[in-house]
Amino acid sequence: MSYTIQGETGEWEVVCGLEIHAQVLSKSKLFSGAATAFGADPNSQVSFVDAGFPGMLPVINEECIAQAVRTGLGLNAKINLWSRFDRKNYFYADLPQGYQISQYAHPIVGEGVVEITLGDGSVKRIGITRLHLEQDAGKSQHDQHPAKSFIDLNRSGVALMEIVSEPDIRSPEEAGAYLAKIRQITRYLGTCDGNMDEGSMRADVNVSVRRPGEEFRTRCEVKNVNSVRFVMQAVEAEARRQIEIWESGGTVEQETRLFDTARGVTRSMRSKEDAHDYRYFPDPDLPPLVFTQDWVDQLKATLPELPDARRARYIALGLSPYDAHVLTIERETATYFEAVLGPEGGTRRDAKTVANWLTGDVFGHLNKRGLAIEESPVGPAALAELLDLMADKTINGKIAKDVLEIMFEEGKGAAAIVDERGLRQVVDTGAIEAAVDAVLANNAGQVAQYRGGKAGLFGFFVGQTMKAMGGKGNPALVNEVLKAKLGEPGG
């Protein structure tokens, strides 16, 4: 069912496109050798080029170009073997050159497409218009002094990929899923770290509304939204604002707005510029960017397996689409899963068992401690050891859960914990029979009820026997002995 917003005069459809600014993962900037590390002291990572000193010439960073091409390949997009850098002219205190080196008419990457999966399991294709490279501006800080603004040029010249979508997004959910998918792809590729809290990825959200089936109406751009949740909220808030204007007889003016996360509303920032306002022209200091198809093919050959392909492979292993989705959201989780699963072509553990333990018990312990998967004190080899002890019936599932908790607390291996604490599963039929006999003798009333036809009591006897054995009885053998001793209910 398509998403619409009910206004006072009828239904409205949301039309949305995103411009995602992804910081290129590189050690130095797009046109200078200055470092790009996050959190450095203000103005400590600034070259003469970044500071706009007269006579300083930009030099293209080849790795940034390669990262953009890798991203384009990951977006199933056309790679343009000839592209050009342009100057985008505007004036602000944190833009020392008085222009931004960007790409306008001839971007490095052309049209592409990504698929997003929505909450109901449906898949939608979102078109990519282009990916172009540009340098970031510096940062103005207005809260450090009562009468002055401070300028930090550490970000000045940092390489950005601007990934522009088609206006194919029709709901807040689709906007959030699209941003999450771009973040996922770039993190798998290693072309952007996706740390939205650090500003490595942010989105400009273009929103308009229309009656279903109408032509597009005027759009507004909500700038610099830095989380998936806030993008979804911004789409909803801006769409409702525009609906109120149209329904009251007004006209939406094209403008740039900001999203107020505290109040959940958008507010005006400035009237929206058009391309001619920036006076684009080819950068005279940089020749056109030209490379060969062979170079592109070499990069393509080194790309990692992307999330869609990996998810399909996991489903082929017998996992549900949901489990495959959860395991591939972050590359680190998929890497952990595969390490526990074992090498392809060798002896592999059961994929469903590994997935259940990873997404259930391991994730639960990590969430409780506020840890990411790569910070887990229980690594893939340690979890594999635990699952092997369960598979060879050294311990049962209940004991395995207890052992995992001790592993997280103490950092010891599963086998060592099992031996130290005497947790090995009892498979001695004689010992199990003795425990069952004692349970049946102590619960004669329940035995009579069971034999009278109350079949549901069987689970009670299993629980009592396991309790008597400290949880160490082999469940299958316990069931087998109980059935032999009790007979059929009502029998």
Side-chain angles (χ1 to χ4, degrees):
M1 185 177 177
S2 61
Y3 173 89
T4 57
I5 296 177
Q6 184 65 43
E8 291 185 0
T9 61
E11 289 188 337
W12 293 84
E13 184 180 56
V14 176
V15 178
C16 178
L18 265 60
E19 300 169 13
I20 296 173
H21 299 264
Q23 180 177 329
V24 174
L25 204 55
S26 63
K27 293 180 179 177
S28 55
K29 297 181 180 179
L30 183 54
F31 298 116
S32 84
T36 59
F38 178 77
D41 291 338
N43 296 306
S44 63
Q45 299 181 162
V46 186
S47 75
F48 291 139
V49 173
D50 309 322
F53 274 45
M56 296 296 105
L57 297 177
V59 177
I60 293 176
N61 181 336
E62 182 180 348
E63 178 58 17
C64 291
I65 304 302
Q67 292 285 59
V69 172
R70 291 183 186 107
T71 305
L73 292 168
L75 299 175
N76 300 305
K78 180 178 185 293
I79 307 301
N80 295 321
L81 303 182
W82 189 98
S83 60
R84 188 181 73 198
F85 285 100
D86 300 284
R87 288 189 183 179
K88 178 181 180 181
N89 295 275
Y90 67 96
F91 298 92
Y92 204 73
D94 57 22
L95 191 73
Q97 293 164 309
Y99 59 85
Q100 178 188 37
I101 302 178
S102 182
Q103 292 185 310
Y104 174 56
H106 301 281
I108 189 170
V109 175
E111 293 183 349
V113 66
V114 298
E115 290 187 347
I116 58 172
T117 303
L118 303 173
D120 62 1
S122 63
V123 174
K124 180 170 181 178
R125 292 164 66 87
I126 305 295
I128 303 291
T129 308
R130 57 191 276 146
L131 177 156
H132 66 259
L133 277 168
E134 63 186 21
Q135 55 179 183
D136 205 354
K139 184 178 181 180
S140 299
Q141 299 182 5
H142 306 296
D143 57 356
Q144 305 294 310
H145 189 278
K148 298 178 181 179
S149 291
F150 289 2
I151 305 296
D152 180 6
L153 294 180
N154 278 351
R155 288 193 67 87
S156 177
V158 165
L160 298 179
M161 297 177 287
E162 182 169 337
I163 303 166
V164 182
S165 83
E166 292 288 313
D168 293 341
I169 296 166
R170 293 292 178 270
S171 71
E173 183 193 6
E174 289 182 14
Y178 171 74
L179 175 57
K181 187 60 174 285
I182 295 295
R183 180 179 182 272
Q184 181 190 43
I185 290 170
T186 57
R187 281 173 55 80
Y188 264 74
L189 290 169
T191 58
C192 175
D193 62 24
N195 289 332
M196 301 185 80
D197 289 343
E198 298 178 0
S200 297
M201 183 172 282
R202 51 196 191 270
D204 297 341
V205 187
N206 290 282
V207 180
S208 67
V209 296
R210 65 178 179 180
R211 298 293 189 186
E214 268 188 348
E215 294 296 313
F216 292 159
R217 297 196 184 198
T218 307
R219 64 183 170 86
C220 291
E221 181 181 42
V222 185
K223 293 287 286 185
N224 290 331
V225 188
N226 69 347
S227 81
V228 170
R229 179 166 59 94
F230 289 154
V231 162
M232 295 172 69
Q233 291 176 2
V235 171
E236 175 93 14
E238 178 58 18
R240 291 190 180 277
R241 184 191 74 86
Q242 293 182 21
I243 290 169
E244 286 184 15
I245 293 173
W246 289 119
E247 290 192 328
S248 65
T251 301
V252 172
E253 299 294 334
Q254 184 172 332
E255 63 177 341
T256 300
R257 301 180 68 83
L258 293 175
F259 181 59
D260 187 328
T261 57
R263 296 169 55 214
V265 297
T266 67
R267 53 186 173 83
S268 184
M269 180 182 176
R270 62 175 182 262
S271 61
K272 174 62 181 172
E273 302 90 344
D274 287 312
H276 64 260
D277 294 317
Y278 290 121
R279 301 293 190 270
Y280 282 100
F281 65 87
D283 192 298
D285 294 333
L286 289 163
L289 189 59
V290 183
F291 41 81
T292 65
Q293 186 62 46
D294 284 346
W295 185 68
V296 174
D297 292 341
Q298 288 171 30
L299 290 177
K300 187 174 185 178
T302 65
L303 294 184
E305 184 181 32
L306 290 171
D308 286 353
R310 189 168 284 198
R311 186 168 60 250
R313 183 162 59 81
Y314 290 176
I315 292 171
L317 289 174
L319 298 187
S320 69
Y322 176 79
D323 282 344
H325 169 70
V326 170
L327 290 170
T328 53
I329 290 173
E330 299 289 350
R331 185 178 181 180
E332 292 82 1
T333 303
T335 300
Y336 188 110
F337 169 73
E338 299 216 14
V340 179
L341 193 62
E344 198 168 348
T347 303
R348 308 194 89 182
R349 296 172 183 86
D350 179 67
K352 186 64 178 173
T353 300
V354 176
N356 287 344
W357 276 82
L358 179 53
T359 61
D361 298 87
V362 173
F363 276 14
H365 284 291
L366 293 174
N367 290 339
K368 188 166 68 175
R369 292 164 175 79
L371 297 174
I373 188 79
E374 60 269 26
E375 301 169 316
S376 175
V378 176
L383 180 62
E385 180 187 32
L386 176 68
L387 298 185
D388 288 347
L389 290 174
M390 196 170 62
D392 68 13
K393 297 185 169 45
T394 299
I395 57 176
N396 59 40
K398 182 183 180 306
I399 294 294
K401 290 179 184 291
D402 296 336
V403 171
L404 182 64
E405 184 159 354
I406 298 167
M407 291 166 71
F408 267 93
E409 292 294 335
E410 300 182 4
K412 294 179 179 177
I417 293 169
V418 168
D419 288 338
E420 283 175 10
R421 306 197 179 207
L423 297 175
R424 287 181 177 272
Q425 189 169 224
V426 176
V427 292
D428 178 355
T429 307
I432 292 173
E433 284 187 352
V436 167
D437 287 340
V439 166
L440 298 184
N442 292 332
N443 296 278
Q446 284 87 344
V447 171
Q449 291 177 47
Y450 175 83
R451 287 175 174 159
K454 200 168 182 180
L457 278 170
F458 189 81
F460 165 78
F461 296 120
V462 173
Q464 290 297 305
T465 305
M466 294 298 287
K467 183 178 178 182
M469 301 186 71
K472 293 185 284 184
N474 179 291
L477 289 177
V478 168
N479 275 265
E480 188 179 308
V481 171
L482 275 168
K483 283 177 181 175
K485 298 274 186 183
L486 286 168
E488 292 298 320

